[in-house]
Amino acid sequence: MKDLPIDEGSEIAFCGRSNSGKSTLLNTITNNKKLAKTSKTPGRTQTLNVFCIDEFCQKRIVDLPGYGFAKVSKNLRKEWGYIINQYLSSRLSLKGLILIMDIRQALKESDLMLIKWSKKNYIPLKVVLNKGDKLSKSKVIKEIKSVEKKLEDLSFEGKPLPFSSKSLMGVDELRETLNNWFKI
Ligand code: GDP
């Protein structure tokens, strides 16, 4: 936490379970294949990475460590939870959260915790249903509807966004969300 940039300006944090495609998505929306490291081994990104997106680093993207990777020890998982918690509860420049989920495995326990946290703390959160290319169009629609219903049950406002780094669905919409939040 002490190594983070000064807590001023605007920060948007990206969170999600390991292997949700978070690093690939960051590379896609920034048009930079080398920005966030991607790997086929889930759980490799264990640090909090900050990317300055303007000259004076007043607008930043924060890549939070992926959670829920089964193969790591309980202690390490706890440590990740602690880091995410520390970040969320202290960062005043946080303007919004992008929650990335594999469309085939949406709304797991940790995802729900983040959604509830954002609501309680009035931090905007965008739900992204990633890897949309893995399902047929009709299954994507079905999945969106199911997630919408579950979000409604949580009194969460805001529509989930289907996304894919392969087919590029959702890229423009996600960029628009980021631009809007950075303007606030
Ligand atoms: P992270 O652990 O959440 O950062 O996930 P990565 O970005 O490293 O991606 C995990 C795996 O999912 C890799 O094998 C990626 O190639 C794959 N992946 C990421 N995004 C997509 C996508 O939009 N579609 C498909 N089919 N695979 C993806």
Side-chain angles (χ1 to χ4, degrees), residues 16-28 36-45 63 66 100 102 104 130-134 163-168:
R17 286 162 57 82
S18 292
N19 212 32
S20 60
K22 178 161 61 71
S23 314
T24 311
L25 176 145
L26 276 168
N27 293 347
T28 303
K37 283 181 196 155
T38 61
S39 86
K40 293 215 184 274
T41 316
R44 244 178 57 174
T45 328
D63 185 10
I100 298 138
D102 187 318
R104 300 160 302 171
N130 200 13
K131 305 194 190 180
D133 62 282
K134 291 262 192 190
F163 189 96
S164 164
S165 291
K166 273 209 171 148
S167 73
L168 301 183

Side-chain angles (χ1 to χ4, degrees), residues 6-168:
I6 300 170
D7 194 2
E8 56 184 35
S10 302
E11 234 161 59
I12 296 175
F14 285 66
C15 47
R17 286 162 57 82
S18 292
N19 212 32
S20 60
K22 178 161 61 71
S23 314
T24 311
L25 176 145
L26 276 168
N27 293 347
T28 303
I29 56 157
T30 53
N31 240 336
N32 183 345
K33 280 195 183 130
K34 290 182 193 153
L35 186 81
K37 283 181 196 155
T38 61
S39 86
K40 293 215 184 274
T41 316
R44 244 178 57 174
T45 328
Q46 296 174 13
T47 47
L48 215 144
N49 294 293
V50 181
F51 305 103
C52 299
I53 61 164
D54 67 350
E55 198 186 344
F56 301 106
C57 203
Q58 288 300 295
K59 291 178 183 172
R60 298 175 295 275
I61 281 177
V62 179
D63 185 10
L64 296 177
Y67 46 81
F69 181 48
K71 280 187 195 162
V72 300
S73 69
K74 264 196 176 157
N75 272 348
L76 196 51
R77 254 185 277 169
K78 258 193 189 164
E79 199 177 311
W80 287 352
Y82 177 75
I83 294 169
I84 294 175
N85 209 9
Q86 278 274 303
Y87 173 82
L88 292 179
S89 56
S90 64
R91 208 65 183 159
L92 297 172
S93 50
L94 180 66
K95 294 287 180 286
L97 281 168
I98 307 287
L99 172 58
I100 298 138
M101 302 180 283
D102 187 318
I103 191 163
R104 300 160 302 171
Q105 298 174 22
L107 299 177
K108 300 274 185 193
E109 199 185 329
S110 316
D111 303 320
L112 293 172
M113 269 169 56
L114 278 165
I115 290 169
K116 286 176 191 162
W117 180 89
S118 74
K119 202 172 140 49
K120 197 170 152 218
N121 292 281
Y122 304 100
I123 299 286
L125 179 144
K126 186 80 187 164
V127 168
V128 175
L129 299 175
N130 200 13
K131 305 194 190 180
D133 62 282
K134 291 262 192 190
L135 297 179
S136 67
K137 265 190 185 158
S138 59
K139 284 212 169 127
V140 167
I141 293 169
K142 200 174 149 208
E143 212 43 58
I144 294 172
K145 283 197 175 137
S146 153
V147 170
E148 266 176 10
K149 169 85 185 61
K150 286 176 190 159
L151 291 176
E152 262 172 45
D153 291 345
L154 293 169
S155 309
F156 176 86
E157 285 169 24
K159 297 251 174 253
L161 174 71
F163 189 96
S164 164
S165 291
K166 273 209 171 148
S167 73
L168 301 183

